[in-house]
Amino acid sequence: MGEAKHKRALHEKALKMSLPMKRARFNLYTMGTRNSRVPYFTEEVSWWSSHDEALLGMVSLDKVDGDYSWMILARDRIGRFRCAYPNVSIKDQAHAEKMLRVEMAKVITEGEIEKFGEQGDETNSPLNLFEVSTGQDPEKLHPYFKLLMEEKGREPARKVLQELALWLAPSDPHLVREFQTAGFDQRLWELFLWAALREFSYDVEQLEAPDFSCKSPKVEFTLEATTVAPSIQGALAEHPDPKTPIEIEKFNHDYMAIKFGSALTSKLGKKNAHGLHYWEREESKDRPFVIAIADFHKPSSMSQLGSMTYTQSALWRYLYGLHVKWRIEDDKVVIEEGDVEEHQFNGKKIPSNFFSLPLAENVSAVLFSNAGTIAKFDRMGVVAGFGADGYDYFRCGFRPDSDPNAVIGKAFVDDVRAEDYEEYWTQEIQVFHNPHAKHPLSVEHLMGASHHFIENGKLQSLMPDDAVLSSFTNIVKYTQVSGQ
């Protein structure tokens, strides 16, 4: 009996050395850990950590055998959380959780957590995305990078970006330097895409070109990322400043369609040193090929939202060569579609309907999001529990309205710190499917995104319930008033 009491006391002490972890926080730490095949036969049921979060734990249900397994995760030499010690075939969840936490306590007590996490295949040492080299000219640091570095309210984004970079940087020696300087927008977009593709349950490999190879038991495809950048010369250097709905409509029809077209057609015609297009290269051959595009050409200011919040209609108009007009008739919305032949601005003219251009049949889809921004990384950090002290984060925007007579999305305001608030990397992603694709990409291959396609000559859309059309984030700083 004395031995049983002693054993029970040891177990109770061990259980005090770990605690439950919010799944969103666990997901951030393990963004690159999961294999795409695992969700098909296991279901994660609980998540744990040591008090200092040097160790993580996870319990899962085997959906085939009905028993449970657990694993302890620790940071490897690069700093990534990976499985360091698994156990399987446990009869129920309660026993699995108890065994996991006792084993975590043993590792903590032995005090060699860094050694425990070593995998033996690491090629780099830990890196810091925000560590500026001593030889870097401060004047060449990107203004948004400096904002991230200096603003306390941006702590959530810094934490998220640092965790994600641990997975990408070992294969990309230029990531840190380019993220800190002129390549900030492109690199932020790539980090966002990597996180979204991982959330879509793909194993994502970085390539020289295209940027990513995505594999799962469902499909394999490659993806090339590109951005719409400011024009500093030529016809588009004279930037309009649309304010009214009519001005924005004209801006999207011509100026913005040309901007999207320039970025997309440059990818369509690009060849490597061997004369091969993206889709002809070994990694892409006979597979779907996707171009992912984001608009960074006009940043936000204190008085105006960034262009990415209102330019998405220009993209589908250019991709399909279609325009949509609506009017109210007998209290109902009447929609009319028409063909668009070309877009022109300031003497520059391009044909519309990208998907009908020569070679475009090799592009399976164009992926778009207006969420590859610092604000997105801030919100994902807050959801994971890394909100900065003294700050609140409020998200305002529009979601789709299923009312057939709606002409604008449903407005919403969310408190990102609220206990029941949820957000995912894929919520704002839109996929425009090529009706002429040699290798089509199925809707099922990117579940959780919004999908657009041509059916019976009409543009159709499928959107999840939690889709977001556009949004912006208000960061509120609370200050102490003297005497209160």
Side-chain angles (χ1 to χ4, degrees):
M1 189 67 179
E3 184 178 345
K5 284 185 178 180
H6 178 67
K7 188 175 182 180
R8 186 162 57 249
L10 289 176
H11 278 184
E12 290 175 356
K13 181 180 179 181
L15 296 181
K16 293 178 180 178
M17 301 176 77
S18 60
L19 67 163
M21 173 175 266
K22 187 178 179 181
R23 182 170 189 175
R25 195 176 183 96
F26 183 89
N27 285 347
L28 173 59
Y29 279 135
T30 59
M31 204 70 204
T33 307
R34 297 176 178 90
N35 184 283
S36 64
R37 297 185 297 273
V38 172
Y40 287 86
F41 56 86
T42 67
E43 178 185 352
E44 297 177 22
V45 295
S46 66
W47 307 269
W48 305 84
S49 75
S50 58
H51 288 274
D52 62 357
E53 297 186 345
L55 288 181
L56 305 182
M58 186 269 291
V59 174
S60 61
L61 167 67
D62 187 318
K63 293 191 284 190
V64 178
D65 297 333
D67 55 15
Y68 291 80
S69 62
W70 56 260
M71 68 170 65
I72 300 175
L73 302 95
R75 293 191 187 272
D76 65 9
R77 290 178 58 194
I78 296 175
R80 306 167 298 185
F81 273 107
R82 297 167 68 187
C83 177
Y85 186 14
N87 202 347
V88 298
S89 303
I90 301 149
K91 62 179 181 178
D92 58 47
Q93 182 176 340
H95 278 84
E97 289 175 350
K98 187 174 182 180
M99 291 173 64
L100 165 68
R101 298 176 69 187
V102 168
E103 198 61 41
M104 288 175 68
K106 289 181 182 178
V107 177
I108 294 168
T109 302
E110 289 171 0
E112 294 188 354
I113 294 177
E114 288 187 13
K115 186 176 181 180
F116 177 75
E118 291 182 5
Q119 301 279 332
D121 61 355
E122 299 93 336
T123 57
N124 296 65
S125 299
L127 61 87
N128 186 342
L129 191 62
F130 296 95
E131 183 178 336
V132 180
S133 65
T134 54
Q136 175 63 54
D137 182 356
E139 295 299 318
K140 293 185 178 180
L141 293 176
H142 195 281
Y144 280 171
F145 173 75
K146 290 194 282 188
L147 177 78
L148 269 172
M149 286 278 290
E150 297 166 2
E151 292 284 340
K152 179 175 172 54
R154 300 297 185 176
E155 282 182 9
R158 288 199 295 271
K159 179 61 178 176
V160 173
L161 287 162
Q162 178 58 27
E163 289 294 331
L164 300 189
L166 294 171
W167 293 94
L168 276 74
S171 302
D172 190 344
H174 306 297
L175 172 63
V176 174
R177 178 178 55 80
E178 292 179 0
F179 177 80
Q180 294 178 359
T181 55
F184 179 89
D185 290 337
Q186 175 72 21
R187 292 310 200 160
L188 192 72
W189 177 229
E190 291 171 6
L191 285 158
F192 167 81
L193 286 171
W194 181 85
L197 292 166
R198 290 293 297 157
E199 191 174 271
F200 280 129
S201 295
Y202 284 96
D203 298 323
V204 184
E205 179 186 358
Q206 292 167 266
L207 305 174
E208 183 177 346
D211 291 306
F212 298 117
S213 171
C214 308
K215 298 180 181 180
S216 80
K218 298 178 293 185
V219 70
E220 296 182 13
F221 66 91
T222 55
L223 181 146
E224 174 67 9
T226 189
T227 58
V228 177
S231 296
I232 58 176
Q233 59 183 8
L236 301 185
E238 183 183 323
H239 194 284
D241 186 21
K243 291 184 172 62
T244 68
I246 293 177
E247 290 173 344
I248 292 175
E249 165 67 17
K250 176 64 176 173
F251 172 78
N252 282 331
H253 186 277
D254 290 313
Y255 184 92
M256 202 58 225
I258 296 173
K259 291 289 287 181
F260 279 124
S262 177
L264 290 170
T265 54
S266 68
K267 295 297 181 182
L268 202 61
K270 190 170 184 178
K271 297 181 181 181
N272 64 8
H274 302 288
L276 300 177
H277 292 95
Y278 289 113
W279 53 85
E280 295 173 323
R281 303 172 197 184
E282 196 59 38
E283 301 87 348
S284 303
K285 192 182 299 183
D286 300 324
R287 297 172 184 169
F289 168 66
V290 177
I291 301 176
I293 190 167
D295 173 23
F296 287 96
H297 91 276
K298 190 173 187 296
S300 61
S301 65
M302 293 298 291
S303 60
Q304 194 173 30
L305 295 174
S307 61
M308 65 172 60
T309 61
Y310 58 84
T311 56
Q312 54 188 303
S313 67
L315 180 60
W316 59 258
R317 189 178 321 210
Y318 168 68
L319 291 175
Y320 296 111
L322 290 174
H323 70 78
V324 175
K325 294 184 177 180
W326 60 269
R327 67 181 188 275
I328 303 295
E329 191 174 286
D330 297 329
D331 295 326
K332 293 184 178 180
V333 174
V334 178
I335 297 175
E336 296 178 346
E337 291 184 2
D339 294 334
V340 178
E341 298 295 329
E342 61 186 22
H343 309 276
Q344 53 183 323
F345 178 83
N346 203 18
K348 185 177 178 65
K349 184 186 299 186
I350 67 167
S352 193
N353 199 349
F354 172 80
F355 285 138
S356 291
L357 294 178
L359 299 178
E361 69 274 10
N362 297 289
V363 180
S364 304
V366 170
L367 183 152
F368 169 82
S369 178
N370 55 21
T373 63
I374 297 174
K376 177 71 173 184
F377 291 88
D378 270 324
R379 296 195 305 271
M380 296 305 286
V382 173
V383 169
F386 292 106
D389 293 337
Y391 290 80
D392 267 337
Y393 302 78
F394 297 95
R395 188 185 192 191
C396 313
F398 293 92
R399 293 190 175 96
D401 191 334
S402 59
D403 184 345
N405 289 314
V407 296
I408 191 172
K410 284 185 177 180
F412 71 88
V413 178
D414 287 338
D415 180 354
V416 182
R417 278 191 181 271
E419 190 64 32
D420 60 347
Y421 179 82
E422 293 184 331
E423 185 169 348
Y424 301 93
W425 292 103
T426 55
Q427 280 177 314
E428 302 92 347
I429 285 183
Q430 302 189 48
V431 183
F432 298 88
H433 294 266
N434 185 350
H436 313 297
K438 280 186 178 179
H439 303 287
L441 190 71
S442 170
V443 169
E444 289 75 17
H445 295 155
L446 292 174
M447 292 295 290
S450 296
H451 293 267
H452 311 282
F453 49 90
I454 299 295
E455 189 174 84
N456 298 323
K458 299 288 186 181
L459 181 62
Q460 305 290 335
S461 299
L462 291 174
M463 295 186 173
D465 292 339
D466 63 349
V468 174
L469 298 175
S470 65
S471 71
F472 63 93
T473 303
N474 281 326
I475 301 178
V476 179
K477 179 182 180 181
Y478 297 102
T479 57
Q480 184 75 33
V481 178
S482 179
Q484 297 186 12

